[in-house]
């Protein structure tokens, strides 16, 4: 079941709907606390909100905005739903919908709410959503928790340029659509004033693979601000430099290798 917050709903035909688990956004707190502490994905929500604020500053009639769904599947947290709602208000987080769902039917709720990107710290949840065609990214301490004045998205180029060997999987279609929407948001800003920064990393292959991935993203209207060709080198140094809020592939983002 999903409940609406008191914030103004984004235009359903234009908004980019992102669902984040409350388990990722809020950390633990004492039982007698009125609000939860800040969690791993707290800076991510602030960065998404900052993009919306800049878009509306440029154009008060802007419709292409992030619309956030806060999803709760944890039964213990569901029993404290008023605390979740009051926590978002306490921190000034702009949440369009609060969704309290069982672990068995949370993917159905993602589909019903037209979620275009699902973010979770639970690998099993991300995998389930991906299998049903919902673009998903896995959050961990290497990503998500990095405070920044910009929303930083890192594309995994090896997945971007993966050849189609048959019918395009729904999750890949969703990835292409989402990247095109990010590109459209980018075009609302110049490079010097953008609250959205997009990076690209390729792990396999050399410069040609990176060039192919750059070309593919540009064909979707995405401007890449920073590109890295790792040639099977470790991820860690690049993540510490770019500090993305999440990694996007054509399945769900993980940081193997």
């Amino acid at each position: 079941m999903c409940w609406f917050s008191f914030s103004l709903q984004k235009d359903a035909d234009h908004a980019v709907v992102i669902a984040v688990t409350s388990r990722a956004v809020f950390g633990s707190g004492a039982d007698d606390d009125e609000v939860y502490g800040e969690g791993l994905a707290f800076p991510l929500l602030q960065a998404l909100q900052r993009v919306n604020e800049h878009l509306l500053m440029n154009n008060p009639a802007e419709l292409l905005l992030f619309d956030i769904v806060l999803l709760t599947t944890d039964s213990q947290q569901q029993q404290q739903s008023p605390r979740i709602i009051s926590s978002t208000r306490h921190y000034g987080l702009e949440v369009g919908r609060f969704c309290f769902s069982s672990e068995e039917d949370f993917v159905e709720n993602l589909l019903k709410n037209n979620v275009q990107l699902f973010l979770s710290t639970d690998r099993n949840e991300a995998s389930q959503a991906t299998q049903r065609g919902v673009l998903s990214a896995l959050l961990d301490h290497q990503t998500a928790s990095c405070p920044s004045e910009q929303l930083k998205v890192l594309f995994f180029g090896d997945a971007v340029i993966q050849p189609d060997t048959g019918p395009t999987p729904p999750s890949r279609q969703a990835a292409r659509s989402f990247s095109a929407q990010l590109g459209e948001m980018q075009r609302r800003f110049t490079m010097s004033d953008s609250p959205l920064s997009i990076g690209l990393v390729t792990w396999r292959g050399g410069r040609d693979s990176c060039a192919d991935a750059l070309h593919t993203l540009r064909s979707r209207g995405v401007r890449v601000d920073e590109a890295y060709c790792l040639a099977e080198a470790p991820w860690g140094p690049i993540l510490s430099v770019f500090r993305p809020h999440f990694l996007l592939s054509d399945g769900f983002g993980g940081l193997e290798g």
Side-chain angles (χ1 to χ4, degrees):
M1 171 172 63
C2 291
W3 296 341
F4 290 94
S5 76
F6 291 107
S7 63
L8 183 64
Q9 282 299 114
K10 307 298 187 298
D11 185 280
D13 294 327
H14 298 88
V16 180
V17 184
I18 297 181
V20 189
T21 59
S22 59
R23 188 190 305 112
V25 175
F26 296 121
S28 60
D31 291 339
D32 56 352
D33 289 343
E34 292 185 6
V35 298
Y36 285 105
E38 298 178 13
L40 183 73
F42 189 90
L44 165 63
L45 257 65
Q46 290 182 314
L48 291 168
Q49 188 166 326
R50 196 171 293 116
V51 174
N52 281 354
E53 291 169 353
H54 280 262
L55 286 166
L56 291 170
M57 283 173 58
N58 285 356
N59 177 15
E62 180 64 68
L63 297 177
L64 183 64
L65 300 166
F66 290 119
D67 190 10
I68 306 303
V69 176
L70 196 61
L71 174 69
T72 302
T73 58
D74 183 270
S75 58
Q76 185 174 356
Q77 280 194 334
Q78 286 186 9
Q79 294 172 8
Q80 300 182 349
S81 56
R83 188 180 178 191
I84 292 176
I85 295 172
S86 64
S87 295
T88 61
R89 293 175 184 162
H90 171 80
Y91 293 114
L93 298 177
E94 186 179 284
V95 173
R97 277 159 284 182
F98 297 90
C99 187
F100 300 91
S101 172
S102 69
E103 294 182 355
E104 291 74 27
D105 62 6
F106 82 92
V107 178
E108 292 296 332
N109 278 314
L110 295 179
L111 295 169
K112 288 177 183 177
N113 283 275
N114 298 314
V115 169
Q116 287 138 288
L117 174 65
F118 172 56
L119 301 167
S120 175
T121 54
D122 187 300
R123 177 173 292 274
N124 184 53
E125 286 183 344
S127 179
Q128 287 183 59
T130 297
Q131 291 170 11
R132 295 288 303 277
V134 180
L135 177 64
S136 304
L138 188 65
L139 303 177
D140 63 18
H141 287 282
Q142 292 178 292
T143 61
S145 59
C146 302
S148 171
E149 290 300 310
Q150 292 178 305
L151 172 66
K152 293 200 163 190
V153 181
L154 185 63
F155 279 89
F156 181 47
D158 302 62
V160 170
I161 60 174
Q162 184 177 341
D164 291 324
T165 56
T168 304
S171 60
R172 182 174 295 185
Q173 294 175 4
R176 292 174 179 176
S177 175
F178 184 79
S179 60
Q181 289 175 308
L182 287 183
E184 191 173 343
M185 281 186 173
Q186 276 186 313
R187 290 192 290 276
R188 306 293 205 262
F189 305 100
T190 65
M191 289 186 68
S192 61
D193 71 351
S194 179
L196 172 60
S197 178
I198 293 180
L200 169 70
V201 60
T202 55
W203 191 67
R204 296 183 178 86
R207 293 181 181 178
D208 289 345
S209 295
C210 191
D212 288 345
L214 275 170
H215 176 76
T216 299
L217 288 176
R218 285 172 181 166
S219 71
R220 301 178 191 174
V222 178
R223 181 184 71 233
V224 174
D225 299 295
E226 299 181 38
Y228 306 93
C229 175
L230 296 186
E232 301 190 10
W235 286 89
I238 297 305
L239 294 175
S240 65
V241 170
F242 188 73
R243 304 189 76 192
H245 288 98
F246 56 88
L247 172 73
L248 276 185
S249 69
D250 281 2
F252 69 90
L255 299 177
E256 285 23 295

